[in-house]
Amino acid sequence: ILAVLPPHATRGSIRPEKMPLRSRCRSSQKATESVKNYLCPLGPSLQPSARLATGPQQEQRTFYEFRTYSIRPDQNSVFLKLTNEKIHLRTAHSQLIGYWTVEYGGLNKVFHIWQYDSYSQRAAVRAALAQDPSWISEYISKALPLLTAQDNEVSYLVPWSRLKSPPQQGGVFELATFRMRPGGPAVWGGAFQAAMSAHDAPGYGKLLGAFHSEFGLLNRVHALWWFESADHRAECRHKAHTDARVVAAVRNSVAHLDSQRNQLMFPCPFSPMK
């Protein structure tokens, strides 16, 4: 103990064996307190904690893989036709949540979400697909030449969000992607939730799910919205800008924001979510 005390803690001190027993006990207690104060001089409230998480811990094993494919501009319709005809070969292996074409915010792109119960399940699915002759010959061999790029990201639903279905079919979807400043949900989680709820609760859009990235670009959160139409989305956005509660919530959230990207998407005919 004495070896880690500051120099003044032992200067001019009496040898412990020469002290009365009561004094020795008090001296030992003071020495222990000195060590605590030296190692954590700002007080017991800032003592190191065993819980080092920067936000609510992920309790669900289920994760969602976000995939974005960029298609050769002259082959867009060919790719969509092929996928429409052969997607059943892929959905036989794992669950498809939704499949969309990007209308605004990126041309000649498709965005799709796949659900997995664990990483071992995903690994087994990928291994099975690699050994599926129909999938390889009827789809992959024909689809890959039509693509210019692929991107994927693993994400989880944020703890307060649940995946929901649209209230009706035939609408449009918006994927709003926010790149938050480093620090994690402990820093910006509350403000982000408040901003989403300020839009969702009054009906300025239907929030279908809020996700945070695990693999891919980090500190990224996604909000998947549903609207009756593109014009309905524009009308809701205009109304939200006049709502003081929304303005205040968004102002608090953007203090933690680095960048934002929005995509308006149309569901494909074979998309489960549409």
Side-chain angles (χ1 to χ4, degrees):
I1 293 176
L2 297 179
V4 297
L5 287 176
H8 64 77
T10 58
R11 188 181 301 124
S13 57
I14 301 175
R15 294 174 62 184
E17 64 271 18
K18 299 297 185 179
M19 288 182 174
L21 179 59
R22 182 177 299 177
S23 298
R24 268 184 273 167
C25 292
R26 284 199 295 264
S27 178
S28 177
Q29 182 179 358
K30 289 181 179 179
T32 302
E33 292 175 354
S34 296
V35 172
K36 291 181 178 179
N37 292 334
Y38 182 63
L39 296 178
C40 191
L42 298 182
S45 63
L46 294 180
Q47 293 280 349
S49 171
R51 182 185 178 92
L52 300 178
T54 57
Q57 292 186 337
Q58 186 65 47
E59 297 180 355
Q60 300 294 326
R61 295 179 62 192
T62 299
F63 66 86
Y64 301 87
E65 183 176 8
F66 287 13
R67 283 186 164 255
T68 301
Y69 295 168
S70 299
I71 309 167
R72 287 173 48 186
D74 61 330
Q75 298 295 325
N76 194 60
S77 60
V78 176
F79 176 85
L80 292 175
K81 181 177 184 295
L82 175 66
T83 304
N84 185 47
E85 294 173 350
K86 302 298 181 178
I87 192 65
H88 66 279
L89 298 174
R90 178 62 183 82
T91 54
H93 292 271
S94 64
Q95 183 177 356
L96 175 64
I97 298 299
Y99 205 112
W100 299 267
T101 58
V102 178
E103 184 70 15
Y104 299 107
L107 296 177
N108 302 304
K109 293 180 182 290
V110 292
F111 172 74
H112 35 127
I113 302 176
W114 299 84
Q115 179 177 320
Y116 296 98
D117 296 329
S118 65
Y119 291 100
S120 58
Q121 184 215 353
R122 182 189 183 275
V125 167
R126 304 303 296 178
L129 285 170
Q131 301 298 321
D132 187 334
S134 298
W135 171 248
I136 298 298
S137 63
E138 297 179 33
Y139 184 76
I140 286 296
S141 62
K142 298 177 181 179
L144 287 182
L146 308 178
L147 303 180
T148 60
Q150 293 176 286
D151 185 48
N152 74 329
E153 177 183 318
V154 169
S155 65
Y156 289 91
L157 285 167
V158 298
W160 51 266
S161 178
R162 296 292 179 270
L163 190 63
K164 301 177 182 177
S165 298
Q168 64 187 55
Q169 293 188 4
V172 299
F173 295 75
E174 179 181 7
L175 182 69
T177 299
F178 306 89
R179 184 78 187 274
M180 310 302 286
R181 294 178 182 174
V187 176
W188 45 257
F192 175 75
Q193 180 179 357
M196 296 298 102
S197 298
H199 286 82
D200 186 36
Y204 299 129
K206 179 67 174 178
L207 182 63
L208 303 181
F211 307 80
H212 66 92
S213 62
E214 181 74 10
F215 293 107
L217 281 176
L218 296 183
N219 300 302
R220 218 162 43 164
V221 285
H222 307 274
L224 182 63
W225 297 89
W226 177 88
F227 299 91
E228 294 178 8
S229 65
D231 287 325
H232 177 233
R233 189 262 182 192
E235 180 183 349
C236 288
R237 186 169 177 82
H238 177 74
K239 290 181 179 178
H241 286 173
T242 64
D243 189 324
R245 296 168 298 179
V246 173
V247 173
V250 170
R251 183 180 292 118
N252 290 334
S253 181
V254 296
H256 308 287
L257 182 66
D258 270 343
S259 63
Q260 177 179 345
R261 179 181 178 85
N262 290 35
Q263 296 181 127
L264 195 71
M265 310 181 301
F266 293 165
C268 293
F270 53 85
S271 175
M273 186 178 285
K274 58 186 175 184

